[in-house]
Amino acid sequence: MKLPEQQDILAFSRFIESHNYFLIIGHKEPDGDCIASCIGAAAIIEKLGKPYRLLSAGPFKRNEIKKYESLFSSEIDFMDESERKSTGLIITDCSEMQRLGDIDGDLHGFDTFVIDHHKTSGLPEGVNGYINSEAPACALLIQLFYEAIVGKIPEDLAKTLFFGLCTDTGFFRFLDTNSAEVFEATARLVSYGANPKQTYSDINNGKAYSTRKLLGILLSRAERYLDGKLVVTYETMEDTKQYGSEGRDSDALYQLLLSSKNVEAVVFLRQDTPLTCTGGFRSQDKIDVSVVASKFGGGGHKNASGMSTEGRIDTLIPAIVKEFARIM
């Protein structure tokens, strides 16, 4: 994995030095990596003696991140022009303004620094930042920035960053042979006090029983396409009403379907409103699902991407299958 260079560290340090106050935000519908990255960035700002506000549009649906919800706000205090000029906006685990969701206040116009690791991302015009698509988690990049700017990571933050790293790496099962630097950084987090056993339990246990019932329905609804290489399943608005939207265990769904013989990619669609859907894409090594996600306004990593788009499940499925047919 490519590591941040000294010029990248200096760019972030200078950004912090040049502002008096900071807004720190990640993408809407945050996951563990997004939350950990925001908290890690805030820890750097706090160590350098400057005030900040953690923002998130939420919702905090995932069971494992609910304990962090109280740290975040969904609104910005009113600022006059001079206050806005002295405020820095830090975006982690995301680079697109539209993926930040609805915040009570205007996020546009702030001097902005992005730290992200998504393959389909690029820095918007006029925005500073660091994007490293080789990094398996944004929390890892935040760890490296913290160590370079501040030094040794305190125990509570090490646990949070380790949690973020584990959620985006599937507890390291998504890593390949070029991951020595990742495990070296992980070892440092453990030496600082991160607990792998406890973190695994926090991520995987305590699921609502309703999520087990929903998982069974999604598995029974799964259909194979493209000679069995692609599997697609979906959740209706009626499903969401009956089983709720909290703590959905999509990771288990992807694992079960991708472990099936000859399956190379999995798509999970959810009808959020009568006119809009969200979708998750997962794949084995050689299939780049970010290519398909980008066709529907989404993006992400080669083997894990997502999207939110207008449309209905019955018309989106054939359109998505058609795009997969181009790359499978």
Side-chain angles (χ1 to χ4, degrees):
M1 181 194 122
K2 178 179 66 176
L3 299 176
E5 298 179 1
Q6 185 62 25
Q7 64 189 29
D8 303 311
I9 304 299
L10 285 174
F12 189 43
S13 296
R14 288 168 181 160
F15 180 82
I16 297 172
E17 291 172 2
S18 62
H19 298 88
N20 298 326
Y21 181 70
F22 296 87
L23 300 172
I24 304 168
I25 190 170
H27 57 76
K28 62 183 178 180
E29 295 197 18
D31 56 10
D33 186 34
C34 177
I35 292 300
S37 299
C38 287
I39 292 173
I44 297 174
I45 301 302
E46 186 172 17
K47 274 293 184 180
L48 296 179
K50 298 196 175 185
Y52 64 86
R53 171 169 288 194
L54 286 167
L55 297 172
S56 177
F60 285 68
K61 293 181 179 179
R62 301 168 186 259
N63 184 63
E64 65 269 22
I65 65 170
K66 282 189 175 296
K67 64 182 180 180
Y68 299 108
E69 186 171 6
S70 62
L71 300 177
F72 291 79
S73 173
S74 61
E75 61 181 31
I76 305 170
D77 289 336
F78 173 79
M79 298 181 189
D80 60 30
E81 186 176 351
S82 64
E83 288 173 325
R84 289 181 69 87
K85 286 182 178 179
S86 65
T87 297
L89 175 65
I90 299 174
I91 302 175
T92 70
D93 201 34
C94 174
S95 67
E96 304 94 343
M97 293 294 291
Q98 65 268 25
R99 289 194 63 216
L100 301 181
D102 295 327
I103 296 293
D104 186 6
D106 185 9
L107 287 173
H108 295 84
F110 289 110
D111 194 13
T112 303
F113 197 98
V114 168
I115 301 178
D116 193 16
H117 72 125
H118 289 96
K119 181 177 183 294
T120 52
S121 297
L123 288 172
E125 186 177 352
V127 171
N128 299 308
Y130 177 73
I131 297 179
N132 183 348
S133 61
E134 294 182 11
C138 190
L140 173 62
L141 298 178
I142 297 294
Q143 175 190 348
L144 298 176
F145 275 97
Y146 188 103
E147 290 173 324
I149 295 172
V150 178
K152 182 180 177 180
I153 296 175
E155 181 177 334
D156 285 348
L157 180 59
K159 291 177 178 178
T160 300
L161 293 174
F162 182 77
F163 162 72
L165 178 58
C166 288
T167 56
D168 250 32
T169 61
F171 227 93
F172 308 105
R173 69 182 187 273
F174 301 145
L175 299 185
D176 213 331
T177 54
N178 61 341
S179 303
E181 295 88 354
V182 179
F183 283 103
E184 289 170 2
T186 301
R188 293 197 299 276
L189 290 178
V190 174
S191 74
Y192 299 145
N195 185 327
K197 180 180 179 180
Q198 185 60 53
T199 302
Y200 185 87
S201 177
D202 291 343
I203 293 173
N204 292 284
N205 295 338
K207 308 289 187 184
Y209 183 70
S210 60
T211 66
R212 311 297 91 182
K213 300 284 285 185
L214 178 59
L215 181 59
I217 290 172
L218 299 179
L219 288 170
S220 68
R221 199 175 278 158
E223 295 290 345
R224 294 187 295 177
Y225 298 86
L226 305 179
D227 298 323
K229 293 183 289 186
L230 173 67
V231 175
V232 181
T233 189
Y234 60 90
E235 177 182 330
T236 66
M237 292 175 64
E238 290 74 21
D239 295 330
T240 307
K241 182 178 180 180
Q242 181 173 357
Y243 297 104
S245 60
E246 304 298 310
R248 184 181 288 99
D249 197 5
S250 53
D251 188 50
L253 174 69
Y254 296 128
Q255 286 186 58
L256 288 167
L257 293 176
L258 280 174
S259 65
S260 302
K261 187 177 181 179
N262 297 326
V263 174
E264 297 180 5
V266 172
V267 175
F268 167 47
L269 294 177
R270 184 176 72 242
Q271 191 78 50
D272 293 317
T273 73
L275 298 176
T276 61
C277 283
T278 56
F281 303 77
R282 299 293 187 275
S283 68
Q284 306 286 10
D285 287 343
K286 67 179 183 178
I287 304 299
D288 188 349
V289 293
S290 70
V291 173
V292 178
S294 66
K295 298 289 186 180
F296 298 89
H301 308 290
K302 176 182 177 182
N303 301 123
S305 291
M307 60 88 169
S308 296
T309 187
E310 294 182 354
R312 294 186 55 81
I313 287 171
D314 55 354
T315 56
L316 281 171
I317 288 178
I320 290 171
V321 171
K322 182 178 179 180
E323 293 300 329
F324 269 101
R326 301 179 192 274
I327 62 173
M328 298 182 79

